[in-house]
Amino acid sequence: MQCITERERWYRDWGEVVHTLAVLGLALLVATGRAPESLGGWVVCPARVVVLEGRRKGRQRSKLGCGLAWRAGWGWMRRSWRVAALRSGALLVLASSVGRQGIEWVCLLPWVVWVWRGMGIAWPRLGQQALYRALGRMWEGGSRWALMGLGVVWLVRRGAEWPAGIGAQPKRSGIGGLPTGMCLGVIGEGGSYVGVEEDERGWYHVRLRGEFELHVDGKVALYKRVAVIFLGLLDVAQERRGGRRTRDGRTPFVRQEQLAAWFGVPQPHISRWNKYWLEEDWQRLLSQRWGEVLTEEVRRRVIESWVKFPWWTAERLRQHLRGQGSRITLRQVKQIAQESGWSAVRQSLQKVYQVNAEAFRPREEWLVEQLLAQVESLVEQLEAWGGLTAEQHAALVDLEAQGAELGLRAAASVRPLPWPLRMERLLFGQWEWVEKGTVRCIYCGTTEVSRKSRKPRVKRYVDEQGNEREVEVYRYYCHNPACQYKTFTNLPPSLIPHSKWTLHHRLAALQQYEWSHSVYRCTSQMLGVSKMTVYRWVRGFGYQLLPVAALFGVVRSSGVVGIDEKYVLVPKNDKPEGKMKRWMYLYLAVDSYTYDLLHVEIYPYNTKQSARAFLLALRAKGYHPRVIVTDLRADYRDLVAHVFPKATHHECIFHALQDVHKHLKDAYGADYAEKQPHVAALRDDIDHIFDARTKRTAWRRYEAVLAQREVFVSQRPEAAAVFDLLERHWPTLVNAIESRHIPATNNATEEVIRIFNQHYKTFCGFESIETARVYLAVFEKVYRFTPFSDDAQERVRGKCPLELAGYEVRKLPMAHLFRGLALQWPASAFQEVSLT
C-alpha cells in the first residue's frame, strides 16, 4: 500500500485506462489465435515437422513401433517457450489481481499446452491422432478462455473502484489541507480502499471499502475506549432508520447496545465517553480507568481529605474514606491523584520536605545538596574572578625631592570629624579624638576611635616572673557601626582584657598541652591555674583554621593530595537514636610529599555529601591538585572527577592488598596458607603484580591472575569477591606504577592521622561538634608549625610541614613556640619543681 498524490493519481487513472484497453485487445487476439509476431511479445510458432532420413548401419526396430523426431520437437520447444511464459505470467497476474484465492493454478495451462504440442511434434505418429489433437485444442481453448475471463473480471473490478471525477481539476482548501472536493486515498490489494476528503468547513470525510481488520489490546483501557469511539463514529451513506440518535444528531451504524455487549462495558459508560469526545474533555477521556463514583464531588472530596494529611499513603486514605461510607477503591484513589496532579506534587514534596504528623520541614539531604551546589557555584565564580585586584603604588619620590629642595613641608592633616560626632563632642562629649592609626579597636580592628575620658584606669596583671604589677590604661569609643561592643580598653602588648594572666601564660599552656602531648589537669598543675582555665586558654587558639593564604599571600602544594577519614567520639549531639550515634567522622587532606595538613573538618555523617563538601572546601582554599590519593571508598570516584576534573584519582595499593587478603581469609579461612597452598600462591601472585617496575609487566601479571578466575570460582564461589575487587579498582591502582609523582600508597595521610591520635587519646572524645572544630583548629596550627623529630627521614628532619611546603616561617613567633626556643616560662610554673 502506498499514498497517492493528486498528480500521480491523475496520470495513473488515465494510464490504467489505456493499459486496460491494450491488454483487452491483446487478449482477444490471442484468444482467436491471431497474435502479432514479435520477438519479445506473444509469439505463435506453427508446428513444423522435419524428418531426417538416412541410411543406418544395421536394422534397428523401434520399441514403440514408430519413428521419433526428438530434434524437431526440442527445436520447436526451445523457440516457443517464451509464449508459454508470457501467457502463464499474464494469467498469474490476473488471478492475483481479482482477489480470488485458490485459482493461481490456471497459470499452468499455457505450459500444459506447450508440452502437449511439443510431444506431438517429437512423436509425429502420436501427434496425428484425432484424439490427441482434440485434447490439444481443448487445453489451448481452456487457456485462452481463462485469460479472457480473468481479464473481464479484472476490468469489472477496476471500473467499480475508480472514483468519479477523473481528470477534474481540484479546488484547493483555504486552510492548506487536502484539496477540497477531491477524495484522495490509498488502494491496497484485494480491492481495499481508504479515501479522505476535506470540505469547505475543514471537516474530514473518510470512506472505507473492502475488508479491514482492527486489533486492539483489551487489557489497556485507553485502547478499548478509543476502539469503541471509532466504531461509534461509523456511518452508512443514505441510511434511513429509526431509533434514538446520538448527541450530535447521527444514527451510527453500530449501536451502543452492540458495543456494550461486544466489549463488556456498561452502556452509560459508552455514552459518557461520547460526551467527553464531543466536549473535547481529554483529561477524563484519556483517564486510565472509569467508574460511577469518580464524579466531581468525589474527586474534590478525595483531594481535600488528602491535603489535610499529605503524609498518608493511598491505602491509608482509602481506609479513611471507607470508614465514612465511601465505596471508592484503591485504584480509583490513585487515579484521582494522578489525574489531578496531586501525585506529582506529593512526590516533589517528599523529595524536599520531611512530611509527617509531627513536622513539616525541609529534608537535611536536600538542604545539603542545595548548599553544596551553591558553594560549588561560588567557588567557580571566585576562580573565574581571579581573586582580589592587584595593588598599585604611585611614584611620589620626585615630588618629595622637589619639596625638600624648596624647603616645603607637608602640613599636618587635620582628621575630618563627621558632623554628628562634632555635635556630640560639643554638647555632651568628654572624649578626645586620637591620631589615626595609633589605636585600634581590639574587637573589630577599626581606627575610627576616640578616647572616652581623660582619667586612666589601673590594670593589674601577673608578669613573667609571677609578680603582680599595675599599669594605667584608657577606655575608648569605637565608631564603627558594625562593631557590637562600641567601647574597649587599649591594653599594652601581651595583656588580655578581663584577665590578669598575660599572653605568655596562654602560650605556655598551649605549648605544654600540645607540644608535650599532655592533658589539661597536668598542664594546670604545672602553671598553677585551674584545668578549666587551661582549657579556655588552649581553646582560644582554635576559633578558625590557619589562614595561610592571608598570611603568606599564596597557597603552596606539591600537587599530590591524600584524603582519608577517621571516626571520633562526640557524645553530645543531635543525631537520631540508632547505630553509631555517638561517632562522627574526621576528614583530612594532606600533601603527600610535604606532609602539610591542607584542610581538616569534622562531619556528623560519613556520606557522599560530606565528602563532596570537604572537597569543595579544599578547592575553595585555592588548591587544585594534580593527583588525589584515597582509599577504596567508592564515593570518591565520581566526586573527584566532578570537583577536580583535571586531577588523576589514585587508590592506595596498600588498602587494595589489605582488602584482597581479607576476602581470601573470609573465603578460605584464617589458616588457608597452611592448608591450601594454591590459595597462598594466588595471594603471592596478586602481591607480585604491584612489585612490577613497568606497567607492561604489571598488566601481564594482572591478566595471568584473572585467567585463574574460573578455576577458583568453580571450587569456591566466595572467591569471586577477590577477582571482582581487583578488576573494579585496577584502573585507579595501576596508574602509580612507572610514575614519578603518583605515590603507591596514602601513607602521608595515615602518618598525620597517627599524630592526631597521639593528641586525641589524651581526652578520648569531644563534648560536641563545636568543641571538636575548635580543637581541630588548634591541632592544625600546632601540627603545621611543629618540626619533625631528629630521627625522622632525612628529607623532613628538623623542619615543620609549612617549611617543607615552601613557606618562610622561621621568623614567626608560632614557629619558635613549638620548637621550644623563644618562650620564657613564668617563674610560678617552677615553684613546685625540685631539681636533684
Side-chain angles (χ1 to χ4, degrees):
M1 299 177 66
Q2 60 180 4
C3 295
I4 305 172
T5 63
E6 175 190 347
R7 184 179 298 273
E8 292 175 350
R9 185 176 183 277
W10 190 85
Y11 285 128
R12 187 207 63 184
D13 292 339
W14 279 108
E16 288 181 351
V17 173
V18 176
H19 180 266
T20 302
L21 294 176
V23 171
L24 182 59
L26 187 60
L28 291 175
L29 290 176
V30 173
T32 56
R34 287 178 276 181
E37 294 184 359
S38 173
L39 295 177
W42 298 75
V43 182
V44 178
C45 301
R48 293 184 296 176
V49 179
V50 180
V51 180
L52 300 178
E53 297 180 356
R55 295 182 178 180
R56 298 178 180 271
K57 293 183 178 181
R59 190 173 181 181
Q60 297 180 355
R61 186 175 180 181
S62 175
K63 296 181 179 180
L64 299 176
C66 62
L68 298 177
W70 294 109
R71 293 185 179 181
W74 174 248
W76 180 87
M77 295 180 70
R78 187 175 56 185
R79 291 190 302 271
S80 61
W81 68 271
R82 296 184 181 88
V83 177
L86 291 175
R87 291 179 179 178
S88 177
L91 287 172
L92 180 61
V93 171
L94 290 174
S96 302
S97 301
V98 297
R100 298 291 182 180
Q101 303 293 332
I103 64 173
E104 288 81 2
W105 58 268
V106 297
C107 65
L108 301 177
L109 291 177
W111 293 108
V112 173
V113 175
W114 176 69
V115 173
W116 192 269
R117 294 187 64 182
M119 289 177 59
I121 295 173
W123 196 352
R125 179 171 296 183
L126 178 62
Q128 294 176 359
Q129 298 295 327
L131 180 59
Y132 189 86
R133 294 173 64 182
L135 290 175
R137 286 192 298 269
M138 185 186 66
W139 288 116
E140 188 172 359
S143 175
R144 291 176 181 178
W145 283 108
L147 183 62
M148 292 177 61
L150 291 177
V152 172
V153 173
W154 179 78
L155 288 175
V156 172
R157 276 188 169 275
R158 296 298 293 173
E161 292 175 357
W162 288 338
I166 296 179
Q169 295 296 329
K171 181 179 179 181
R172 286 289 178 182
S173 173
I175 60 175
L178 294 174
T180 304
M182 175 64 70
C183 181
L184 303 182
V186 178
I187 300 175
E189 298 179 358
S192 300
Y193 170 76
V194 177
V196 180
E197 181 181 359
E198 183 183 8
D199 61 10
E200 298 290 346
R201 299 173 300 171
W203 282 58
Y204 290 93
H205 304 278
V206 181
R207 292 181 174 84
L208 307 176
R209 184 182 297 115
E211 296 181 0
F212 297 91
E213 293 182 359
L214 183 63
H215 305 279
V216 177
D217 186 1
K219 297 179 181 178
V220 181
L222 177 61
Y223 296 166
K224 182 189 293 186
R225 195 171 308 172
V226 172
V228 170
I229 293 175
F230 171 74
L231 295 177
L233 293 176
L234 294 178
D235 294 331
V236 178
Q238 300 178 353
E239 182 181 11
R240 295 291 184 268
R241 59 183 173 90
R244 183 179 178 182
R245 295 182 177 270
T246 60
R247 298 176 185 271
D248 54 348
R250 297 183 303 102
T251 305
F253 179 72
V254 183
R255 299 176 180 271
Q256 289 188 2
E257 294 85 352
Q258 295 173 334
L259 294 175
W262 291 344
F263 291 92
V265 180
Q267 186 177 349
H269 292 175
I270 299 179
S271 179
R272 186 183 301 123
W273 298 345
N274 291 326
K275 175 185 176 183
Y276 296 158
W277 173 270
L278 295 176
E279 295 178 353
E280 300 181 1
D281 192 352
W282 313 126
Q283 180 180 0
R284 293 187 177 90
L285 179 63
L286 301 180
S287 61
Q288 296 298 314
R289 301 173 186 89
W290 61 87
E292 297 86 347
V293 297
L294 295 187
T295 61
E296 288 298 324
E297 293 76 13
V298 174
R299 293 174 185 270
R300 185 164 51 253
R301 180 182 178 184
V302 170
I303 296 301
E304 290 178 354
S305 300
W306 215 337
V307 168
K308 297 176 182 177
F309 308 98
W311 57 89
W312 279 5
T313 61
E315 175 61 24
R316 179 68 179 86
L317 181 65
R318 186 194 68 83
Q319 295 176 0
H320 175 71
L321 296 176
R322 285 275 187 172
Q324 299 179 5
S326 176
R327 298 176 58 189
I328 195 169
T329 64
L330 178 62
R331 301 178 68 183
Q332 292 168 345
V333 171
K334 293 181 179 179
Q335 175 188 350
I336 294 175
Q338 184 177 4
E339 293 176 356
S340 63
W342 171 251
S343 178
V345 172
R346 187 168 173 269
Q347 291 177 1
S348 301
L349 288 175
Q350 290 177 348
K351 291 180 181 179
V352 178
Y353 297 95
Q354 183 178 356
V355 184
N356 51 48
E358 290 79 17
F360 188 91
R361 60 183 180 182
R363 292 184 177 272
E364 294 183 359
E365 55 271 18
W366 179 82
L367 287 176
V368 169
E369 287 294 334
Q370 299 300 314
L371 292 175
L372 290 177
Q374 186 67 26
V375 170
E376 186 173 353
S377 176
L378 294 175
V379 171
E380 293 176 354
Q381 294 181 14
L382 180 62
E383 294 174 350
W385 183 38
L388 299 176
T389 57
E391 184 180 1
Q392 296 182 357
H393 296 273
L396 302 177
V397 179
D398 295 339
L399 294 178
E400 293 176 354
Q402 292 178 3
E405 291 293 334
L406 298 175
L408 300 177
R409 296 182 180 179
S413 59
V414 179
R415 188 176 184 184
L417 193 63
W419 183 81
L421 295 180
R422 291 166 58 187
M423 292 296 297
E424 180 185 354
R425 182 182 181 187
L426 178 63
L427 297 177
F428 311 104
Q430 294 294 328
W431 50 267
E432 297 181 359
W433 199 264
V434 298
E435 187 177 352
K436 185 177 182 180
T438 57
V439 179
R440 292 179 176 272
C441 177
I442 62 176
Y443 301 109
C444 65
T446 183
T447 57
E448 300 293 333
V449 298
S450 60
R451 187 183 296 175
K452 184 177 181 180
S453 62
R454 297 181 180 180
K455 184 178 180 181
R457 295 184 178 184
V458 178
K459 172 67 175 179
R460 294 183 176 85
Y461 67 97
V462 179
D463 61 6
E464 289 81 355
Q465 288 74 32
N467 301 321
E468 290 193 3
R469 295 184 179 275
E470 296 181 352
V471 63
E472 294 182 350
V473 296
Y474 289 90
R475 194 74 176 167
Y476 289 85
Y477 286 115
C478 176
H479 299 291
N480 181 13
C483 183
Q484 58 179 343
Y485 293 95
K486 304 302 181 183
T487 61
F488 65 94
T489 302
N490 186 34
L491 300 174
S494 76
L495 294 188
I496 307 298
H498 313 295
S499 177
K500 67 178 181 179
W501 304 103
T502 64
L503 181 60
H504 294 282
H505 293 82
R506 287 168 166 78
L507 292 176
L510 179 65
Q511 187 183 50
Q512 170 64 18
Y513 178 74
E514 290 290 346
W515 190 48
S516 59
H517 303 240
S518 181
V519 294
Y520 293 125
R521 179 176 52 81
C522 296
T523 303
S524 64
Q525 292 177 356
M526 187 172 186
L527 297 179
V529 294
S530 66
K531 61 180 181 180
M532 288 304 300
T533 301
V534 174
Y535 168 74
R536 289 192 297 269
W537 288 356
V538 174
R539 181 179 179 181
F541 292 93
Y543 286 103
Q544 66 173 349
L545 298 176
L546 186 64
V548 293
L551 289 176
F552 305 103
V554 67
V555 292
R556 299 182 183 275
S557 172
S558 65
V560 182
V561 178
I563 296 176
D564 205 348
E565 313 89 32
K566 171 185 171 50
Y567 57 90
V568 293
L569 183 64
V570 184
K572 296 181 180 179
N573 57 69
D574 56 353
K575 295 172 66 174
E577 294 291 339
K579 186 178 180 180
M580 303 295 287
K581 178 182 182 298
R582 303 175 61 189
W583 297 97
M584 295 188 179
Y585 299 89
L586 184 69
Y587 284 71
L588 300 96
V590 179
D591 193 303
S592 298
Y593 289 99
T594 65
Y595 296 91
D596 190 16
L597 182 57
L598 305 181
H599 187 54
V600 59
E601 185 57 270
I602 186 172
Y603 296 99
Y605 301 96
N606 189 22
T607 61
K608 189 174 183 178
Q609 290 80 5
S610 300
R612 181 183 176 188
F614 181 77
L615 293 178
L616 286 174
L618 180 65
R619 178 177 170 182
K621 282 189 170 183
Y623 295 102
H624 294 82
R626 298 175 300 167
V627 179
I628 293 182
V629 186
T630 66
D631 53 13
L632 303 188
R633 180 177 173 181
D635 293 340
Y636 283 119
R637 183 168 302 177
D638 297 334
L639 292 177
V640 170
H642 178 72
V643 180
F644 299 104
K646 296 183 179 180
T648 300
H649 181 208
H650 174 66
E651 292 181 323
C652 179
I653 294 178
F654 173 78
H655 284 85
L657 295 179
Q658 194 176 30
D659 286 1
V660 167
H661 297 170
K662 179 179 179 299
H663 286 313
L664 290 175
K665 186 180 296 184
D666 295 340
Y668 295 97
D671 55 348
Y672 69 89
E674 293 79 10
K675 295 183 178 181
Q676 304 187 48
H678 66 287
V679 180
L682 175 64
R683 179 199 60 192
D684 297 338
D685 291 342
I686 296 176
D687 295 344
H688 192 48
I689 293 175
F690 301 100
D691 294 334
R693 295 184 178 181
T694 62
K695 289 185 178 180
R696 181 178 179 181
T697 304
W699 271 99
R700 185 175 66 253
R701 297 174 181 175
Y702 166 73
E703 293 173 353
V705 169
L706 289 186
Q708 307 177 47
R709 180 202 293 264
E710 295 184 1
V711 176
F712 280 89
V713 174
S714 61
Q715 297 175 356
R716 189 70 60 90
E718 294 83 357
V722 177
F723 297 95
D724 293 342
L725 182 144
L726 188 62
E727 188 175 15
R728 183 170 59 253
H729 296 280
W730 174 252
T732 53
L733 295 173
V734 70
N735 49 22
I737 300 176
E738 203 177 352
S739 176
R740 295 184 177 181
H741 62 279
I742 300 180
T745 63
N746 200 14
N747 288 342
T749 310
E750 297 290 344
E751 177 65 20
V752 177
I753 292 178
R754 184 185 64 82
I755 297 175
F756 173 79
N757 286 334
Q758 295 176 357
H759 296 259
Y760 171 72
K761 69 181 181 181
T762 59
F763 48 90
C764 297
F766 302 104
E767 181 180 2
S768 64
I769 192 171
E770 290 76 16
T771 58
R773 288 194 173 100
V774 170
Y775 179 78
L776 291 178
V778 175
F779 169 76
E780 183 209 20
K781 295 180 179 67
V782 173
Y783 169 78
R784 300 181 80 174
F785 280 102
T786 302
F788 291 98
S789 61
D790 294 336
D791 58 349
Q793 54 178 312
E794 186 176 357
R795 182 177 63 89
V796 303
R797 186 178 303 167
K799 297 180 180 180
C800 67
L802 288 175
E803 289 180 295
L804 293 175
Y807 298 103
E808 182 57 43
V809 298
R810 288 280 184 173
K811 298 180 180 180
L812 295 179
M814 200 75 170
H816 289 271
L817 173 68
F818 291 103
R819 291 178 184 271
L821 299 177
L823 182 63
Q824 296 180 0
W825 289 76
S828 59
F830 301 97
Q831 290 178 357
E832 299 181 5
V833 178
S834 60
L835 299 178
T836 57

